[in-house]
Amino acid sequence: MRDTLVYRKSIRPGSCLILFFAGILAGILFVQSQKESALAGIFSEYFLNQYASLKMDYKRLFRYVGGYRCGQYICLVCCGTLTAAPLLFGGLLFLLGMTWGTMISLSTIRLGLKGVMICVFGLLPQLFFYVPAFGWMLMWFWQHGYSRKKYLLLAGVGFFFLFFGIVAEVYLNPLILQHILRKL
């Protein structure tokens, strides 16, 4: 087994930002091209009022969010071992930006400033854990990482951040969002 990972090209911080913001723009353009009837969903007043008074089943939510986030993380760790990893991560950054652009655009169209606040508070506090958990991969490529052992060590450290992010997303985020929705 080889002890090194070799990437022909690295991904740079500037190109990461360009891909991410291009994705945001694509998400906004996607929403603008849709019909008004397609914009209902989770940003309707009815859904938000129901969510504000919802009793959470934290066990089921933990299993769902944990399975989803761990699946994403394992996929990224496995993709990081491929020689095309910088290209794959660039595409994933674009998709992440597109998701954020779509959500912010939809919430703004449906609810105005209130919708933007809901999107911002919907990312807290788990974002503080997910950025280090997923962000170390980008830093690995920015530094032209090559050691397989160090890669696996960083994957393990990132998993602990991921775990605390899942806990924050399941147990703290619903309380914060419900409190915000009751106030708005």
Side-chain angles (χ1 to χ4, degrees):
M1 183 167 115
R2 290 185 345 203
D3 194 32
T4 60
L5 300 172
V6 178
Y7 304 110
R8 291 188 186 117
K9 293 194 176 196
S10 181
I11 192 166
R12 303 273 184 238
S15 58
C16 289
L17 285 174
I18 289 171
L19 286 170
F20 181 72
F21 287 118
I24 288 176
L25 182 61
I28 291 169
L29 293 174
F30 173 75
V31 169
Q32 296 300 322
S33 68
Q34 299 299 310
K35 293 181 181 178
E36 183 67 29
S37 61
L39 301 178
I42 65 169
F43 292 112
S44 67
E45 289 288 337
Y46 174 77
F47 178 82
L48 294 175
N49 289 334
Q50 292 295 320
Y51 186 83
S53 61
L54 183 67
K55 175 76 174 142
M56 293 290 170
D57 183 358
Y58 291 108
K59 266 187 179 175
R60 289 180 66 191
L61 186 60
F62 186 82
R63 283 195 303 259
Y64 174 76
V65 171
Y68 187 74
R69 298 289 182 229
C70 286
Q72 288 176 326
Y73 189 75
I74 289 169
C75 180
L76 285 176
V77 168
C78 291
C79 286
T81 62
L82 302 173
T83 57
L87 180 65
L88 291 171
F89 287 129
L92 291 173
L93 277 173
F94 179 81
L95 289 175
L96 178 67
M98 191 168 174
T99 302
W100 284 22
T102 302
M103 293 298 286
I104 290 173
S105 188
L106 277 173
S107 66
T108 304
I109 288 172
R110 296 287 296 167
L111 303 168
L113 185 58
K114 179 178 161 182
V116 174
M117 288 178 57
I118 291 170
C119 280
V120 169
F121 285 108
L123 295 172
L124 299 175
Q126 68 268 21
L127 186 67
F128 298 118
F129 296 103
Y130 288 153
V131 167
F134 289 95
W136 68 265
M137 291 180 161
L138 292 175
M139 298 221 10
W140 178 259
F141 294 115
W142 293 341
Q143 302 296 322
H144 301 284
Y146 60 88
S147 170
R148 194 177 296 264
K149 289 178 186 174
K150 190 173 180 181
Y151 181 78
L152 293 176
L153 175 70
L154 287 173
V157 170
F159 181 76
F160 285 109
F161 279 99
L162 178 75
F163 175 75
F164 289 117
I166 292 169
V167 169
E169 185 174 0
V170 170
Y171 294 104
L172 295 176
N173 184 265
L175 296 174
I176 292 170
L177 274 179
Q178 286 178 336
H179 181 74
I180 296 296
L181 288 172
R182 289 180 192 133
K183 296 285 183 188
L184 297 175

